[in-house]
Amino acid sequence: MSLIVGVDDYSSESDVIIIPSALDFVSQDEMLTPLGRLDKYVASENIFNRQMVARSLLDTLKAVSEDERDCIGVLERVGRLADDSEPSVRAELMEQVPHIAIFCQENRPSIPFAFSKYLLPIVVRYLADQNNQVRKTSQAALLVLLEQELVERGDIETLVCPVLVDLTAPDSNDDVKTEAMAIICKMAPMVGKDITERLFLPRFCEMCCDCRMFHVRKVCAANFGDICSVVGGEATEELLLPRFFQLCSDNVWGVRKACAECFMTVSSSTSQEVRRTKLSSLFINLISDPSRWVRQAAFQSLGQFISTFASPNSVGQYFREGEEGECNCVNSQNRCSHFGHLKGNLDLNGFLSVKEIHQACIEEIGGMDVAEQGGGEQAAEALADALDVPECLCRKAASSLASNPDSSEEGDSSSTAGAQEEEEDDSPADILAPSSFSLPEPAEEESPFVSPLDNIPEQELYNSFHFWRLPIAEMDLELLHQGKTKASAPVLDRKQLEELIENLEPHIDDPDVKAQVDVLTAALRATTMDSHLEDAFLERNSTLQMNHGDDSELSDSSFSPEDEKKSKHQDVIPQALLDQYLSMTDPSRAQTVDMEIAKHCAYSLPGVAMTLGRQNWHCLRDTYETLASDMQWKVRRTLAFSIHELALILGDQLTAADLVPIFNGFLKDLDEVRVGVLKHLYHFLKLLHQDTRRKYLYQLQEFLVTDNSRNWRFRSELAEQLVLLLELYSGQDVYDYLRPLAFSLCLDRVSSVRWTSYKLVSEIIRKVASCQVLLADFLSELVEKFCHSPKWSGRQAFTFICQLAIEDDCVSLEQFSEHLLAPLLQLASDPVANVRVLLAKTIRQSLLEREYFLHSANSHQEALEQTLVALQMDLDKDVKYFASVHPGSTRLSEDAMSTTSSTY
């Protein structure tokens, strides 16, 4: 088709101008084959046409995929297009390469070796392209191809890696060198340890010392941790750590900042010894760096670095549920397979009782020849290392077995006899805890006086006090009051008595220990030296006992500055690191380092607490309390979101003493903070004792009050948490305290909140179903509030709840028929069609699906049939439809979204 243009001044046909239209070009292209169209536009002088060719390569390949020769022809023309002089064409081609490679992989039988022969060489060549856009596109394409595992391992080793290594040569272009090193670092985790060590590691170490280009050193520093993770600990410590030390002292602050940011990953690839002796001091230097940005990055990484000191046993722990609200800590990696049976006997604090360890040691050593010289000592050392317990315990077991070879057999019966009593009395005295003094080895010769252990019942023989205490001479309390001791016992001077009392103070919660303290205190009173000093000492000791009697910790005022400083000491991590971490709450840090440094401290605190262990919680207690009262709500919000994790780490006793008050404060905080507590309310309350947990029933209604009434997600989260909380409380408590909340949430103006609340009500029905009185009262109120509600949304809610109760088996069909069926069927005459529609669905999809309601002897069958017939004759077509048929595509959740009112 052509356009004929006539001109008045010309009358002959030879003067007519013919202009071809766009339709002529379309028809011409349609007559060409796919390869012909490629050939036509690849050679076009128009840049836009060549870009369109690159963009349509995949479509062309799909069009000729049936013919292998045509596919090869398309890929050959890709090679011609790759030589285009226009960078935009080359960049467009590179963007299409990953898609073409995926197609070639899926059609591999038809196009064998297409990718490695035609496409990969182009990608590799473009890595050194002069145009920045083309290089960037090829780098992104290469990473996508590697992630999708489209490049054969042999091609990686022979085609890709050598090119990248050459691009990082000293004489290479600066920009190309930097980009190639970045690609190498990103490739390392994908290609694995072998290729990285053989082909990349030497050049990486060389680039870390590039004196001319700090950009290259910065790339190496930023990715140092990833390289360490790939090559492993041995190569890291031998080859990489010297380079890392150089980078951490680089004269460019950006390099040092990058080192601080990846410090945790580097530390994770080293041994504990290197971590403690070398990396700790290096990190302290970064924290003290002259550059504020370096210090900022170092403090942000400090908590993460501290977490790498955690014991593998404690990091891999999980928690098994015991009794209601009880959480037991169990190590997932047992260091000795012979003690796998002890996992079930771990106490509340995650440790084995001394008696259980002693018995296990006896059982294990029983198979060894402890009579040989050094045999018992070697066995004890091996077992102590395997169980991660003090060697003195295993040594005592070995000695007792050597002196009494039959003890291993007797131990079985004794441990069985005392098992029930130990389950009932899980006091802190039965928990293995660190102490500043150890049990001396048993004397070879018989003692000249009778040991107090002889009169102790067997089941009490192996508690922590009797294992950890220093031997105490037997004393007569009556004679002590007279200032005398038994002649058979050595007389202890005042200093020795004070030392004994000091050593026993950490275990004063134990009734036995408290009795010993009373005896020693009486002995101390009997002395006549330095009466004024004595009064001061006894006053402090009495205060200690009084505080422990009230289940409270020592107040800060009872510590001198030196004592307070000592209370922050521990031996899990280098003390300098802990001191720096504790200083993150110092207001001066916000001015000199980072305004949000307290938030970073709060964010990493659970990890630090996990590393230090609950036995060192006293080191973090003050810091946690400072953060909990921080003026920035973001800091408090961070703590609120993680308080349940910290409770899991600390155990129920420390949680009740130190976390519950802070938790109570968060409950009254801003909504931004309260939502963190609310989101994990169930997980936190589950860790508390039943009495403490029950106190929060009175405060749950406070969650209904928010700073912004439009914050409906807060109320939706509350409804979800209440569903979980049902298992923590009795039916009576649920009825008294959770029932009003559930009914209130069912009337919320937001449909999402109401729908979650319907589930809550149905679960409450399940909870109280075992008590006929509670069930009858609850269902009666449900009918009154909702079925007889003047608002149609309330009557619709009643229908939803009935449907849920039936489908989730929350109540028996007999109980449902007795209390809910008659009110439900009365809604057949409801003036609102939406209520009748849902009623029709409930009868059809829920009630009539149960054999109970189909039985002819059932007294309710007739009422159901009459109601269904009435609904089938309803004037509303939707009601009539759902009452007449059983649509298989509709489900309860879909019904909720389709028939409820709008969100507001």
Side-chain angles (χ1 to χ4, degrees):
M1 176 179 180
S2 303
L3 298 178
I4 301 177
V5 181
V7 183
D8 293 340
D9 296 339
Y10 301 96
S11 59
S12 63
E13 292 184 1
S14 60
D15 296 328
V16 177
I17 301 175
I18 302 177
I19 302 177
S21 69
L23 294 177
D24 291 323
F25 289 107
V26 173
S27 60
Q28 292 175 12
D29 283 352
E30 288 179 349
M31 296 176 62
L32 295 175
T33 63
L35 289 179
R37 283 196 294 273
L38 276 183
D39 291 333
K40 176 181 178 180
Y41 291 107
V42 163
S44 173
E45 296 181 358
N46 191 325
I47 296 175
F48 176 75
N49 287 342
R50 301 202 300 277
Q51 284 182 317
M52 291 301 297
V53 170
R55 202 170 298 168
S56 62
L57 280 173
L58 181 61
D59 293 333
T60 304
L61 199 58
K62 290 179 179 179
V64 300
S65 59
E66 300 293 332
D67 191 329
E68 181 181 339
R69 295 184 60 184
D70 286 349
C71 290
I72 299 299
V74 172
L75 294 174
E76 290 174 347
R77 286 158 177 79
V78 170
R80 289 170 50 189
L81 197 63
D83 297 328
D84 198 289
S85 60
E86 176 58 37
S88 61
V89 176
R90 301 199 303 274
E92 184 65 46
L93 172 63
M94 196 49 51
E95 288 184 2
Q96 302 302 318
V97 165
H99 305 290
I100 298 174
I102 293 174
F103 177 81
C104 293
Q105 183 71 17
E106 294 173 349
N107 297 270
R108 191 177 182 86
S110 302
I111 322 174
F113 310 111
F115 172 73
S116 59
K117 182 177 181 181
Y118 296 101
L119 298 179
L120 186 58
I122 299 174
V123 176
V124 173
R125 186 175 52 164
Y126 279 4
L127 293 174
D129 197 276
Q130 294 299 315
N131 183 268
N132 181 60
Q133 181 185 5
V134 177
R135 287 201 312 273
K136 296 290 187 183
T137 312
S138 65
Q139 293 163 11
L142 177 60
L143 292 177
V144 170
L145 296 171
L146 291 172
E147 289 174 356
Q148 299 293 326
E149 298 181 352
L150 296 174
V151 187
E152 298 289 341
R153 190 169 184 84
D155 293 337
I156 294 176
E157 202 165 338
T158 58
L159 297 179
V160 180
C161 294
V163 172
L164 289 173
V165 172
D166 291 341
L167 292 177
T168 57
D171 57 347
S172 181
N173 178 274
D174 291 344
D175 292 339
V176 173
K177 182 193 301 184
T178 304
E179 294 168 0
M181 181 52 60
I183 292 295
I184 287 176
C185 294
K186 292 177 181 177
M187 279 181 58
M190 302 180 192
V191 300
K193 178 179 179 180
D194 179 54
I195 292 180
T196 300
E197 276 192 318
R198 287 191 292 107
L199 303 179
F200 290 157
L201 189 56
R203 182 52 56 88
F204 179 83
C205 294
E206 181 183 342
M207 291 296 99
C208 289
C209 304
D210 191 313
C211 300
R212 190 169 59 89
M213 279 292 295
F214 84 89
H215 294 290
V216 177
R217 301 198 304 275
K218 186 175 180 180
V219 169
C220 293
N223 297 277
F224 209 96
D226 295 334
I227 300 296
C228 292
S229 300
V230 173
V231 300
E234 184 177 352
T236 296
E237 295 181 4
E238 292 181 3
L239 301 175
L240 292 176
L241 273 189
R243 305 293 185 272
F244 189 65
F245 272 77
Q246 294 176 6
L247 292 174
C248 287
S249 58
D250 197 276
N251 58 357
V252 178
W253 68 265
V255 177
R256 303 196 302 273
K257 177 176 179 289
C259 291
E261 291 171 342
C262 71
F263 213 95
M264 183 202 73
T265 316
V266 175
S267 176
S268 300
S269 302
T270 63
S271 63
Q272 280 281 13
E273 182 182 359
V274 170
R275 197 174 295 143
R276 180 177 293 272
T277 58
K278 297 182 179 180
L279 293 183
S280 297
S281 57
L282 181 63
F283 195 86
I284 294 297
N285 292 338
L286 292 175
I287 283 182
S288 309
D289 196 272
S291 170
R292 175 171 181 166
W293 309 114
V294 178
R295 296 197 304 272
Q296 185 179 109
F299 273 109
Q300 290 181 14
S301 301
L302 176 56
Q304 303 171 15
F305 176 47
I306 289 176
S307 68
T308 62
F309 285 86
S311 168
N313 283 359
S314 63
V315 170
Q317 71 179 351
Y318 63 95
F319 293 84
R320 60 177 175 84
E321 297 178 9
E323 295 181 0
E324 190 176 86
E326 180 180 332
C327 195
N328 296 330
C329 172
V330 181
N331 290 337
S332 62
Q333 298 175 354
N334 284 328
R335 298 176 64 181
C336 182
S337 59
H338 297 285
F339 299 93
H341 65 282
L342 294 178
K343 288 174 62 177
N345 297 331
L346 291 174
D347 63 17
L348 201 60
N349 287 325
F351 298 106
L352 292 167
S353 68
V354 177
K355 185 171 88 172
E356 290 169 329
I357 294 178
H358 184 270
Q359 180 61 29
C361 293
I362 289 179
E363 293 175 0
E364 189 66 15
I365 301 173
M368 306 177 183
D369 188 4
V370 296
E372 295 181 5
Q373 183 176 3
E377 286 289 309
Q378 294 174 2
E381 291 176 4
L383 289 171
D385 181 66
L387 277 177
D388 196 18
V389 299
E391 184 182 330
C392 61
L393 299 185
C394 300
R395 212 167 44 230
K396 184 176 181 67
S399 300
S400 63
L401 185 65
S403 60
N404 184 10
D406 298 329
S407 62
S408 60
E409 298 177 2
E410 296 172 358
D412 294 337
S413 59
S414 64
S415 60
T416 305
Q420 183 176 359
E421 181 173 351
E422 186 173 3
E423 289 177 2
E424 296 174 354
D425 184 16
D426 193 17
S427 63
D430 291 328
I431 296 171
L432 179 62
S435 178
S436 59
F437 55 101
S438 60
L439 182 72
E441 296 185 17
E444 296 181 1
E445 298 181 1
E446 188 175 345
S447 175
F449 60 91
V450 179
S451 170
L453 294 179
D454 295 339
N455 299 324
I456 298 175
E458 186 175 1
Q459 62 268 23
E460 294 296 329
L461 186 59
Y462 302 114
N463 65 19
S464 61
F465 166 68
H466 293 129
F467 264 88
W468 288 98
R469 67 167 183 155
L470 290 171
I472 302 174
E474 186 176 0
M475 301 177 187
D476 190 310
L477 186 59
E478 182 178 353
L479 293 178
L480 284 173
H481 281 294
Q482 302 172 7
K484 301 178 181 179
T485 58
K486 296 181 65 173
S488 60
V491 178
L492 300 178
D493 61 21
R494 180 181 185 81
K495 183 177 180 181
Q496 291 174 322
L497 288 172
E498 289 180 357
E499 289 178 353
L500 286 173
I501 294 177
E502 288 282 350
N503 290 331
L504 291 173
E505 282 179 0
H507 310 283
I508 202 167
D509 284 329
D510 189 305
D512 295 332
V513 179
K514 190 173 185 302
Q516 295 285 353
V517 171
D518 292 338
V519 172
L520 295 173
T521 303
L524 188 60
R525 280 201 178 96
T527 61
T528 57
M529 299 180 300
D530 300 331
S531 59
H532 63 284
L533 294 176
E534 172 188 330
D535 294 338
F537 181 86
L538 292 176
E539 181 180 357
R540 184 178 68 84
N541 187 58
S542 301
T543 303
L544 174 68
Q545 296 184 45
M546 181 182 65
N547 288 344
H548 277 283
D550 295 336
D551 291 329
S552 62
E553 299 290 339
L554 284 172
S555 62
D556 293 338
S557 60
S558 64
F559 284 105
S560 66
E562 292 185 1
D563 291 337
E564 187 174 358
K565 185 176 181 180
K566 290 180 180 179
S567 70
K568 306 294 190 222
H569 281 221
Q570 41 70 51
D571 59 358
V572 179
I573 64 175
Q575 188 62 34
L577 290 179
L578 180 60
D579 293 341
Q580 291 291 345
Y581 178 80
L582 298 179
S583 73
M584 292 176 73
T585 57
D586 190 334
S588 63
R589 293 291 193 192
Q591 302 299 325
T592 59
V593 180
D594 185 3
M595 290 297 294
E596 294 193 344
I597 190 172
K599 181 183 176 183
H600 297 300
C601 180
Y603 182 80
S604 58
L605 195 140
V608 176
M610 171 70 83
T611 303
L612 295 180
R614 67 186 63 174
Q615 69 273 14
N616 290 313
W617 167 243
H618 60 275
C619 299
L620 299 175
R621 183 188 292 111
D622 293 343
T623 299
Y624 191 78
E625 292 174 354
T626 303
L627 293 170
S629 59
D630 195 277
M631 294 297 294
Q632 301 181 69
W633 64 265
K634 292 182 178 179
V635 176
R636 304 194 304 273
R637 173 185 169 93
T638 302
L639 293 182
F641 269 94
S642 63
I643 193 170
H644 68 290
E645 297 288 355
L646 190 58
L648 208 58
I649 296 169
L650 298 183
D652 60 343
Q653 294 182 0
L654 291 174
T655 295
D658 298 329
L659 297 190
V660 166
I662 293 174
F663 181 83
N664 295 338
F666 288 157
L667 292 178
K668 303 173 183 178
D669 213 313
L670 301 175
D671 283 353
E672 287 80 1
V673 179
R674 294 169 70 206
V675 70
V677 172
L678 177 60
K679 198 167 186 67
H680 302 286
L681 184 63
Y682 163 77
H683 297 99
F684 184 82
L685 295 184
K686 186 178 181 181
L687 300 175
L688 303 180
H689 285 299
Q690 187 172 1
D691 294 340
T692 307
R693 184 193 308 147
R694 197 169 181 274
K695 296 177 182 178
Y696 289 96
L697 286 170
Y698 309 94
Q699 304 181 44
L700 291 176
Q701 60 182 358
E702 297 178 6
F703 283 110
L704 291 176
V705 181
T706 56
D707 300 336
N708 183 2
S709 60
R710 299 178 69 87
N711 188 5
W712 62 268
R713 288 183 176 85
F714 196 92
R715 300 191 298 275
S716 179
E717 184 64 45
L718 173 61
E720 293 179 5
Q721 287 295 312
L722 290 178
V723 173
L724 299 175
L725 288 176
L726 293 177
E727 73 172 64
L728 302 183
Y729 296 103
S730 65
Q732 186 65 54
D733 286 340
V734 169
Y735 180 83
D736 292 340
Y737 299 100
L738 302 190
R739 169 185 53 85
L741 293 176
F743 286 156
S744 176
L745 291 169
C746 284
L747 299 175
D748 198 275
R749 63 179 181 174
V750 180
S751 62
S752 179
V753 178
R754 293 198 302 271
W755 177 243
T756 307
S757 304
Y758 301 154
K759 175 68 174 177
L760 171 61
V761 172
S762 67
E763 291 299 324
I764 291 179
I765 293 175
R766 187 199 306 274
K767 183 72 177 182
V768 301
S770 58
C771 179
Q772 292 297 326
V773 177
L774 292 179
L775 179 65
D777 292 345
F778 183 81
L779 296 182
S780 175
E781 185 176 1
L782 178 65
V783 171
E784 184 63 29
K785 284 184 176 292
F786 293 93
C787 184
H788 299 158
S789 173
K791 295 184 177 181
W792 72 270
S793 58
R795 302 191 297 274
Q796 185 189 56
F798 178 78
T799 312
F800 271 132
I801 294 170
C802 290
Q803 190 175 13
L804 276 171
I806 289 294
E807 292 194 351
D808 294 345
D809 297 321
C810 297
V811 65
S812 67
L813 298 179
E814 292 82 2
Q815 291 172 326
F816 180 87
S817 301
E818 179 183 353
H819 299 286
L820 297 178
L821 184 59
L824 178 66
L825 297 183
Q826 291 176 4
L827 296 178
S829 57
D830 195 278
V832 179
N834 276 0
V835 178
R836 303 196 303 276
V837 167
L838 186 57
L839 175 62
K841 291 180 179 180
T842 301
I843 294 176
R844 272 288 185 188
Q845 299 177 13
S846 300
L847 297 181
L848 294 182
E849 288 290 312
R850 304 300 177 117
E851 187 69 25
Y852 176 83
F853 293 109
L854 297 177
H855 200 276
S856 57
N858 193 304
S859 59
H860 305 288
Q861 183 190 25
E862 184 177 353
L864 276 173
E865 291 179 352
Q866 291 177 357
T867 304
L868 196 59
V869 169
L871 293 173
Q872 290 172 353
M873 299 175 63
D874 197 280
L875 297 178
D876 188 273
K877 61 179 182 180
D878 291 332
V879 177
K880 186 183 300 184
Y881 171 75
F882 284 106
S884 302
V885 299
H886 188 294
S889 61
T890 58
R891 296 301 307 155
L892 184 58
S893 59
E894 297 172 0
D895 298 343
M897 295 298 104
S898 63
T899 57
T900 51
S901 60
S902 61
T903 302
Y904 290 100

